[in-house]
Amino acid sequence: MTLQQLAGVALPIIQAPMAGAQASAMAIAASNAGALGSLPCAMLGVDAMRSELMAIKAQTARPFNVNFFCHAQPTPDAKREAAWRASLAAYYHAFGIDANSIPTGPGRLPFSSEAANVLAEFKPAVVSFHFGLPSAELLALVKGWGSRIFASATTVDEARWLEAHGVDAIIAQGLEAGGHRGNFLSEDLTTQIGTVALLPQILRAVRLPVIAAGGIADAKGVAAALALGAAGVQIGTAYLLCPEATITAVHRAALKSEAVRHTALTNVFTGRPARGIVNRIMRELGPMSTVAPAFPLATSAIAPLRAKAESQGSSDFSPLWCGQNASGCKEVPAAQLTRELAGV
Ligand SMILES: Cc1cc2nc3c(=O)[nH]c(=O)nc-3n(C[C@H](O)[C@H](O)[C@H](O)COP(=O)(O)O)c2cc1C
């Protein structure tokens, strides 16, 4: 089954959900252009989520996707937090930040029954999950109102697991992809492989439709993924320079610079590996740190450094999420980019 059949859209393209980088405006533009637009909810409280969903409903009658993270919230570990803050002490000192005044916060929230209650008012065509799936009860609730369930797999094992747990389509997320890796069965990064290697192996292992994600940046890339047997593609990085993206000025500038060609997986910003443009803090503390607290608890300690640096125009402490192939980034409206990606 194709993505078009699964989701009721005209084009084989999902505008990837990108928490912190876009909201309803991009989803609306992509959906109205014929793709499946996505609303990422990992960084939205339920009130913000409801107002974003109302905006989408008001501005498109087309299908859209609502996306959630499914991590288990870790128990805060005071010792680890202290060690993490100690490793940041020199930076706090340089910026005149009092390390004791930094609040600890949740950073990113997993799908919950509160979120499901709001979602039930909207019954989106597709609900997608990253980092596995929610509890069987919550999943049954979402399926009960008719949404199709998509979820990210980064290995063949994860694809099989998702199939066994009742998803409707698998998003094969290759190592090239920008943002957080969706891995949930293993933390061993040597299990992570590129899209062109991952897609055919997942296609062989499961019966479900498989969406290719990671490194796809133009119409030829889309055609190549479909030729390999993908039911559709999910594209994130290419949309980051569209005016609808809500990224910071320093992120935008980095995407337009030579620096964009060097990305790496890092856990220093959140505690989980995510791909971004290599910057100072990634070089000096990572890119993979053994001290960073569990996801998403690493976020709070970095936040004041990020804010201070950004206020001075510096991206030294900012997560500059970006995939390995930023060649498709264009400063054009998301609707136009969508049509170009689809070759229409
Ligand atoms: C800035 C950014 C934020 C992302 N945030 C999310 C997210 O909130 N949820 C999710 O499922 N995937 C997220 N992703 C991953 C995308 O869904 C997708 O796997 C990836 O963008 C595909 O690779 P590409 O960036 O090379 O196109 C994010 C990607 C980027 C670039």
Side-chain angles (χ1 to χ4, degrees):
M1 200 188 273
T2 63
L3 173 61
Q4 295 92 312
Q5 292 163 335
L6 265 172
V9 290
L11 304 175
I13 295 175
I14 302 175
Q15 167 263 313
M18 296 186 285
Q22 50 98 194
S24 54
M26 187 176 285
I28 292 161
S31 281
N32 279 334
L36 186 68
S38 297
L39 179 71
C41 293
M43 294 170 82
L44 298 181
V46 284
D47 293 338
M49 182 180 146
R50 181 183 280 108
S51 65
E52 291 288 28
L53 286 167
M54 285 170 67
I56 294 176
K57 278 283 190 194
Q59 292 170 74
T60 185
R62 304 269 178 96
F64 60 93
N65 166 40
V66 185
N67 170 263
F68 297 91
F69 285 180
C70 292
H71 55 286
Q73 235 3 45
T75 319
D77 175 339
K79 254 175 122 176
R80 205 160 158 193
E81 184 65 32
W84 180 227
R85 290 186 184 206
S87 71
L88 298 169
Y91 305 122
Y92 291 144
H93 182 72
F95 280 114
I97 294 166
D98 174 7
N100 298 315
S101 69
I102 303 165
T104 46
R108 285 163 177 81
L109 295 167
F111 190 56
S112 61
S113 50
E114 292 75 31
N117 288 339
V118 175
L119 207 55
E121 299 167 26
F122 298 90
K123 303 180 178 53
V126 176
V127 175
S128 73
F129 294 109
H130 211 47
F131 311 142
L133 290 172
S135 68
E137 296 73 37
L138 280 181
L139 191 66
L141 208 61
V142 180
K143 289 178 117 178
W145 66 64
S147 295
R148 300 270 196 183
I149 308 292
F150 293 9
S152 309
T154 65
T155 60
V156 168
D157 284 349
E158 287 174 354
R160 287 205 177 108
W161 188 96
L162 291 171
E163 181 172 58
H165 287 77
V167 307
D168 297 297
I170 285 166
I171 300 158
Q173 190 196 32
L175 192 49
E176 301 92 323
H180 284 93
R181 300 221 43 74
N183 58 302
F184 60 94
L185 289 183
S186 167
E187 290 184 11
D188 178 356
L189 288 180
T190 65
T191 62
Q192 303 292 296
I193 61 175
T195 307
V196 169
L198 181 64
L199 176 64
Q201 297 188 67
I202 290 186
L203 280 165
R204 267 191 200 201
V206 301
R207 289 158 176 256
L208 295 173
V210 182
I211 316 283
I216 300 167
D218 56 24
K220 284 183 179 167
V222 174
L226 298 181
L228 285 174
V233 299
Q234 176 159 304
I235 299 178
T237 297
Y239 281 96
L240 286 174
L241 286 184
C242 294
E244 292 89 344
T246 56
I247 58 175
T248 56
V250 295
H251 194 171
R252 225 167 243 284
L255 285 162
K256 293 201 257 179
S257 75
E258 292 283 311
V260 80
R261 279 196 270 282
H262 187 195
T263 67
L265 291 181
T266 184
N267 64 348
V268 302
F269 297 109
T270 65
R272 251 184 193 271
R275 184 173 295 284
I277 300 169
V278 174
N279 64 356
R280 179 174 166 201
I281 190 157
M282 285 167 70
R283 269 193 298 269
E284 294 181 0
L285 294 189
M288 291 299 292
S289 159
T290 50
V291 188
F295 180 89
L297 302 177
T299 316
S300 345
I302 300 270
L305 292 168
R306 175 184 177 181
K308 283 264 185 184
E310 285 185 4
S311 74
Q312 298 168 11
S314 160
S315 62
D316 283 355
F317 298 91
S318 304
L320 304 170
W321 303 142
C322 177
Q324 286 180 331
N325 184 4
S327 66
C329 293
K330 287 185 184 175
E331 294 178 281
V332 299
Q336 183 183 331
L337 185 71
T338 300
R339 287 190 291 270
E340 287 181 19
L341 288 167
V344 294

